[in-house]
Amino acid sequence: AVEEWGARAGTVVMLDPLDSAVLAMASYPTFDPNAFNDYPASDQTNRAVSDSVEPGSTFKAITAAAVFEASVVHPDDIFYCGHGSIVLGRTRIRDHKVFGELSFREVIAFSSNVGVIEASLMIGEQDFYDTILSFGFGSKTGIDLPGEHPGIVNDLESWTGLSKAYLSFGHEIAVSALQLTNAFAAIANGGRLNTPYLVRALGTPDGEEVLPRPPPRAILSPSTFSALRTILE
């Protein structure tokens, strides 16, 4: 994909949603560790944990979690999606396509920026902020790998009148590929946020020593994640 689209770099990470075990993780461009002096330092980083980017529309699942948890939106509620744009104050935010009325499940399915903005305006800033933090954004996941970046979540005090709208579709925030994958793992396993890990156990002369791991942390309610799984399907 990097070569096809002419990107500077790319990364992929795959987790077991039940316990966030790392099943696959890779970055590109890559390098030969036997001749690392032949490669720039930028090629020698594990981008899945060290790089943070705006998540864009993948973050709409987090917005959906926030509005479901606040009990202000049902998947079948109808939203008017502005025929392609919405005006907040003096700012016009455009959608990627023209939509009229959509149910909230269609807002997610068709990835309507305007629809998800309308939903986000139904909850308070504190509720949205708390949901974002509950998924682990803005903090290191604690994976057993070096160089992890915590991402960027602006303090609530620094939010502007447009922050909630932009955050609803994944702007004004930076997350790592690992953080985002782990958030979706939590959705998949019913709202239990695990610490991702690479090494499960160590071999010893006496057999195998399973390494201790932090227990999973329950985030939000089971009903929220049931609704989330349904609309994401």
Side-chain angles (χ1 to χ4, degrees), residues 139-228:
S139 302
K140 295 180 179 180
T141 66
I143 192 172
D144 49 341
L145 286 170
E148 183 175 14
H149 192 277
I152 301 171
V153 176
N154 293 328
D155 292 336
L156 195 58
E157 292 75 18
S158 66
W159 285 24
T160 70
L162 294 173
S163 291
K164 195 165 53 167
Y166 282 121
L167 281 162
S168 71
F169 59 100
H171 292 263
E172 281 197 23
I173 187 172
V175 309
S176 69
L178 179 63
Q179 285 177 323
L180 190 62
T181 310
N182 203 39
F184 275 84
I187 294 172
N189 72 11
R192 294 179 296 277
L193 187 72
N194 283 286
T195 300
Y197 69 98
L198 189 70
V199 179
R200 185 187 66 84
L202 299 176
T204 71
D206 299 323
E208 185 179 82
E209 177 191 355
V210 178
L211 299 180
R213 297 183 56 244
R217 177 165 56 87
I219 55 174
L220 311 181
S221 64
S223 61
T224 290
F225 289 99
S226 177
L228 264 179

Side-chain angles (χ1 to χ4, degrees), residues 49-98:
V49 299
S50 66
D51 287 10
S52 293
V53 297
E54 285 188 324
S57 289
T58 57
F59 205 72
K60 289 172 182 172
I62 311 304
T63 306
V67 298
F68 287 157
E69 186 69 9
S71 299
V72 296
V73 172
H74 184 275
D76 294 320
D77 288 347
I78 301 299
F79 287 83
Y80 175 62
C81 297
H83 288 287
S85 68
I86 184 173
V87 177
L88 299 176
R90 297 181 178 180
T91 301
R92 181 180 296 275
I93 302 175
R94 300 189 182 279
D95 221 328
H96 66 95
K97 191 176 180 180
V98 174

